[in-house]
Amino acid sequence: MARILTGVQSTGIPHLGNMLGAIIPAIQMAENSNNESYLFIADLHSLTQIKDPKELKYNTLTTAAAWLACGLDTSKTVFYRQSDVCQTTELSWYLQCFFPYQRLTLAHSFKDKSNTVEQVNSGLFNYPLLMAADILLYDADIVPVGKDQIQHIEITRDVANRLNHQMGSTLIIPEARVVKDKQIVPGIDGQKMSKSKKNIISVFEGTKTLQKQIMSIKTDSKGVNEPKDPDNCTVFNLYSLVENQKEIEALKTQYISGSIGYGDAKKLLSQSLLKKFRKQINRFHYFMNHQEEVESLLQQGSSKARKVANKTLGRVRQKLGYSS
Ligand code: AMP
Ligand code: TRP
């Protein structure tokens, strides 16, 4: 049995791209496997960029509510908040003392971020070693991540090997499992949906917002009765990501024969999203109105996580001579 662990950034209410590209596949993977699964909200990493306590807290809440709404089963997955496990920052310090400064200066994510964010703090620089602690603290075997995170896993393996080499076998060396962007969900401008591009579609922000976002999807200017190309239409592409084959074929026929206008196709898409995610939307509102329940689930998860973390940290402390 392998231990699978991954972290999600708490960047606010997840959009349709996050749901179809990350949340739903991750939940399915946890359900289908016989492995142990750990999932946490990386709110300590968020502090590198967000300093407003209310915003940090709200982002954690909405992220947790969305995962729970999409069906995350806390009896199968240890679901916790990174900041509830202070052992993480202790291990991160030890790792920093085993990793050459020069190597960290080569991290792509730091180079990219330090060119764009306003405040380049040391936390941003040390980000990969906090991530290494997240992983090593739980003796994780497999870490599912997107392509952009591979270098962080390499750093994690590297620092664990360095510590093991000097102190004797102490930490488990994890492996990355690269989650291919199976489907890039397009935003309202046809580009990859992304919060920073302001092109998102959000099912959790109310029916009106959803309908408004869908109505502003860019299309060509073909009239109602003109034949249309389904493959080059964002409305149709999104519809294909959520509907079943029969409905997709029906809309395709209408596009090709010129018997539907973009306005009506957009209405169909809104209805389809609202229908498909009705349960998740209701559950999201439920959790947003029962924040104490989300809090309690996270605390139960954090308490399980801390037990595992304490064991690993005990091993490391002993090797370093901090406890006998
Ligand atoms: P982000 O909000 O960009 O940090 O992404 C969080 C997760 O959602 C990552 O696993 C991404 O791969 C996934 N994701 C974000 N945007 C999209 C998109 N437009 N299509 C598919 N997956 C996405
Ligand atoms: N850095 C990851 C991201 O931006 C989030 C993350 C933090 C993470 N700690 C982790 C992912 C540990 C996997 C394992 O998406």
Side-chain angles (χ1 to χ4, degrees), residues 30 35 87 99 109 116 178 226 230-231 236-237 242 245 247 278:
N35 298 320
Q87 289 80 347
F99 201 70
S109 70
T116 53
V178 182
E226 282 182 77
D231 296 332
F236 184 82
N237 288 342
V242 288
Q245 209 49 42
E247 303 300 330
R278 185 180 300 135

Side-chain angles (χ1 to χ4, degrees), residues 3 9 18 31 89 111 115 132 141 149 186 214 219-220 252 274 319:
R3 186 170 286 173
Q9 285 205 4
N18 298 138
E31 280 194 346
T89 49
K111 287 193 207 156
N115 286 332
D141 301 300
Q149 298 295 315
I214 289 183
T219 60
D220 58 33
K252 192 174 195 168
L274 288 168
K319 288 280 171 72

Side-chain angles (χ1 to χ4, degrees), residues 5-9 40 42 45 82 113 127 130-131 134-135 143-145 148-149 152-153:
L5 173 143
T6 199
V8 291
Q9 285 205 4
F40 67 93
H45 279 111
Q82 186 189 26
K113 280 190 195 145
Y127 185 111
L130 181 61
M131 181 158 161
D134 288 331
I135 299 168
V143 186
V145 283
D148 61 324
Q149 298 295 315
H152 289 155
I153 309 298

